[in-house]
Amino acid sequence: MVENKKIFIEIDPNAGFCFGVTNSIKKTEELLKDKDEIYVIGELVHNEEELSRLMKLGMKKISHNDIVSLKNKEIIIRAHGEPPSTYEKLKDSNATIYDFTCPIVLLLQKKISLVTDKMLQMNGQVVIYGLKNHPEVIGLMGHANNIGVVVENLEQAMQLPLDKPIALFSQTTKDREGFEEIKEYFETQLSKRNIHFESYATMCKIVAKRAPALQKFAKEHDFLIFVSGKDSSNGKYLYKIAKTANPNTLFVSELKEIDKIVIPSEIKSIGISGATSTPLSLIELIKERLETRLNR
Ligand code: SF4
């Protein structure tokens, strides 16, 4: 008789929302207890299932363009934060603002505003290492008062003219390696020209700590399922880390995808992890579904 060996399935102990996202979800849930509807600009969290759960409770997603037509409404600012222009629009619409900007992002915005004032006096510029269309970066650029430039990688940084002082920052969810490359480039090139340069490694420590832990977790398993919303910048970054550590890593964003996954017969252990915006409840459901499929 051939023994049917069970596959060991484990959830990454570090998986689940970061505190910035947990905080914004908890506060939204609290508000929805005694309100029929509440508006949020953009996606509160980059996770389709979590969004639809909150929408069933009365959360409504709006775009920046909708603010003008929504008078006297209650509107949430999500963890990524917003540029000052959004607060002005909300004020004009007489909105009640619930500001759930993550405290780490808030500190970064304040730092950028301060350094921007200094750079304006030096005729310099603020460079942000991040994704151009990411909501956090759009918010940060608003605090850089028209002297901000976004670079997504070293190649883009190398296109910038080297004729004025630079202050370099990072989007909170970007990687240290990319930041260090750009920092080193500016440091070398500007010091040759005797031009002022300063840098602030403003990556979120919560994300930074998660990367080495995920690397270790990915190596400990034969197969890794990484759960994240398709638009999560942190999800893309952590997935890359996991995939490099273990090429048998699969990106999954919805529970139903689990039924289509083909697990090679030699696999003995599966790890499940996710982005800082992936709910632990979804990861648990995925584990349950896998157990039912594979270990019946
Ligand atoms: S990843 Fe860090 S900065 Fe971003 S929301 Fe979470 S705790 Fe805040």
Side-chain angles (χ1 to χ4, degrees):
M1 193 179 96
V2 182
E3 196 191 344
N4 181 16
K5 283 239 176 77
K6 288 200 170 184
I7 298 178
F8 173 62
I9 305 173
E10 187 190 21
I11 293 176
D12 182 352
N14 293 301
F17 292 141
C18 64
F19 90 91
V21 174
T22 308
N23 199 28
S24 64
I25 291 171
K26 270 198 192 145
K27 286 181 174 167
T28 304
E29 278 173 332
E30 273 303 308
L31 289 173
L32 286 168
K33 274 186 192 160
D34 32 64
K35 291 180 201 306
D36 293 336
E37 59 174 30
I38 191 128
Y39 296 86
V40 58
I41 312 166
E43 293 187 341
L44 188 72
V45 49
H46 295 304
N47 185 278
E48 292 79 5
E49 308 222 352
E50 189 63 1
L51 276 180
S52 79
R53 184 184 73 81
L54 290 164
M55 280 166 145
K56 277 182 203 144
L57 297 176
M59 185 184 82
K60 290 192 165 60
K61 189 179 122 180
I62 55 165
S63 74
H64 290 85
N65 292 336
D66 296 327
I67 299 174
V68 195
S69 54
L70 289 168
K71 298 276 181 228
N72 308 313
K73 297 288 185 193
E74 296 180 295
I75 302 181
I76 290 172
I77 291 178
R78 60 188 163 173
H80 291 316
E82 287 291 334
S85 57
T86 304
Y87 290 85
E88 279 155 30
K89 271 192 202 165
L90 288 168
K91 211 172 139 206
D92 291 346
S93 285
N94 203 27
T96 304
I97 307 171
Y98 294 100
D99 193 348
F100 298 161
T101 306
C102 169
I104 296 171
V105 176
L106 216 52
L107 274 178
L108 173 54
Q109 291 177 342
K110 285 185 183 147
K111 185 79 193 165
I112 289 189
S113 294
L114 272 175
V115 174
T116 296
D117 289 346
K118 181 177 154 188
M119 283 292 135
L120 275 168
Q121 283 170 19
M122 297 170 84
N123 194 26
Q125 62 182 331
V126 170
V127 176
I128 300 169
Y129 169 49
L131 299 173
K132 281 194 176 73
N133 296 323
H134 192 282
E136 181 194 307
V137 174
I138 294 170
L140 298 179
M141 284 291 282
H143 289 266
N145 204 8
N146 294 330
I147 57 161
V149 185
V150 183
V151 294
E152 300 197 343
N153 48 43
L154 178 62
E155 287 68 40
Q156 289 183 9
M158 288 166 86
Q159 305 296 316
L160 292 182
L162 296 162
D163 55 358
K164 53 172 105 162
I166 288 179
L168 175 68
F169 288 88
S170 173
Q171 178 185 339
T172 57
T173 47
K174 288 301 277 178
D175 57 298
R176 178 163 281 277
E177 301 74 27
F179 178 83
E180 290 299 333
E181 265 182 7
I182 295 171
K183 180 186 160 190
E184 207 184 300
Y185 166 72
F186 283 139
E187 222 160 37
T188 316
Q189 295 303 322
L190 292 173
S191 79
K192 272 190 212 162
R193 292 163 175 82
N194 212 11
I195 296 176
H196 176 82
F197 171 68
E198 59 192 58
S199 66
Y200 302 89
T202 47
M203 291 74 79
C204 171
K205 290 194 176 55
I206 293 165
V207 178
K209 272 188 207 152
R210 196 170 270 192
L214 175 62
Q215 231 165 9
K216 185 169 171 283
F217 182 75
K219 282 181 185 157
E220 283 165 1
H221 294 84
D222 300 334
F223 196 91
L224 191 91
I225 295 175
F226 187 83
V227 192
S228 167
K230 292 184 189 88
D231 293 333
S232 163
S233 141
N234 156 260
K236 284 178 202 156
Y237 165 59
L238 289 178
Y239 169 68
K240 208 170 106 190
I241 298 237
K243 185 90 179 159
T244 311
N246 183 345
N248 270 341
T249 295
L250 202 69
F251 189 97
V252 163
S253 55
E254 284 179 79
L255 180 61
K256 61 181 184 215
E257 291 172 52
I258 293 300
D259 300 332
K260 295 180 207 140
I261 292 177
V262 180
I263 308 283
S265 57
E266 68 276 12
I267 297 299
K268 294 190 178 58
S269 77
I270 300 176
I272 313 172
S273 190
T276 52
S277 52
T278 305
L280 200 55
S281 56
L282 174 61
I283 293 181
E284 279 162 355
L285 282 175
I286 286 179
K287 181 173 185 258
E288 232 171 77
R289 190 94 144 225
L290 269 178
E291 293 276 11
T292 318
R293 253 195 69 194
L294 304 170
N295 290 335
R296 244 192 297 228

